[in-house]
Amino acid sequence: MTPFKLKIITPEKTFFSGDTTQIIAKTTMGNVGILHGHVPYVANLVSSPILIEVDGELKEAALSGGFLKVSPDDVVVVTYAIEWADEIDVARAERSKQNAEERMKRHESQKEFDRAEKKLKRALNRLLVAGRKH
């Protein structure tokens, strides 16, 4: 497969910048696979695993929402947070899951419930990518 440039950025850092031959991500409309020569495309991403082929190996990362922009020259992913599967602190993700579930039970407003639900989805995604059953 022909490689293309991929850049993944968060508010804090550039997570990945280099060549890849494919990525698979989940948009609000479903999964999308991107290969070299993909038509120009923009999509919102949801908290989910993202697969990135690096040096012939598919690597998995936990992506926390954002958007994807495919242009003729490159692909850019902007996300709130992302981490490789082997970098996930499982104990911290478990605590985040428990805290979010407690907040959802005792929420005082819809805004608090929505915020807790978003945190729960992020924690579950991190646990999924880390290979942990929940």
Side-chain angles (χ1 to χ4, degrees), residues 48-50 60-64 81-85 88 125-126 129:
S48 60
I50 184 171
E60 189 173 30
L63 177 88
S64 295
I82 186 169
E83 56 194 317
W84 295 116
I88 294 172
N125 179 45
R126 293 176 72 229
V129 170

Side-chain angles (χ1 to χ4, degrees), residues 108-123:
E108 294 181 15
S109 69
Q110 186 62 44
K111 186 176 181 179
E112 287 178 11
F113 182 86
D114 293 344
R115 189 177 302 134
E117 183 179 42
K118 195 173 197 177
K119 289 183 180 198
L120 177 61
K121 286 179 182 178
R122 180 175 180 208

Side-chain angles (χ1 to χ4, degrees), residues 70-89:
V70 179
S71 65
D73 298 323
D74 61 2
V75 175
V76 176
V77 173
V78 178
T79 182
Y80 306 107
I82 186 169
E83 56 194 317
W84 295 116
D86 59 358
E87 296 175 347
I88 294 172
D89 181 340

Side-chain angles (χ1 to χ4, degrees), residues 89-103 119-120 123 126-127:
D89 181 340
V90 174
R92 183 172 155 238
E94 285 283 359
R95 286 191 305 273
S96 295
K97 175 182 173 271
Q98 291 169 355
N99 289 340
E101 289 171 337
E102 289 171 14
R103 286 184 181 149
K119 289 183 180 198
L120 177 61
R126 293 176 72 229
L127 292 169

Side-chain angles (χ1 to χ4, degrees), residues 30-77:
N31 289 330
V32 63
I34 307 293
L35 300 172
H36 179 267
H38 195 286
V39 297
Y41 178 75
V42 175
N44 288 322
L45 299 171
V46 297
S47 288
S48 60
I50 184 171
L51 296 172
I52 304 161
E53 189 166 330
V54 181
D55 298 327
E57 177 188 348
L58 273 178
K59 291 186 71 173
E60 189 173 30
L63 177 88
S64 295
F67 72 89
L68 165 85
K69 179 184 147 267
V70 179
S71 65
D73 298 323
D74 61 2
V75 175
V76 176
V77 173

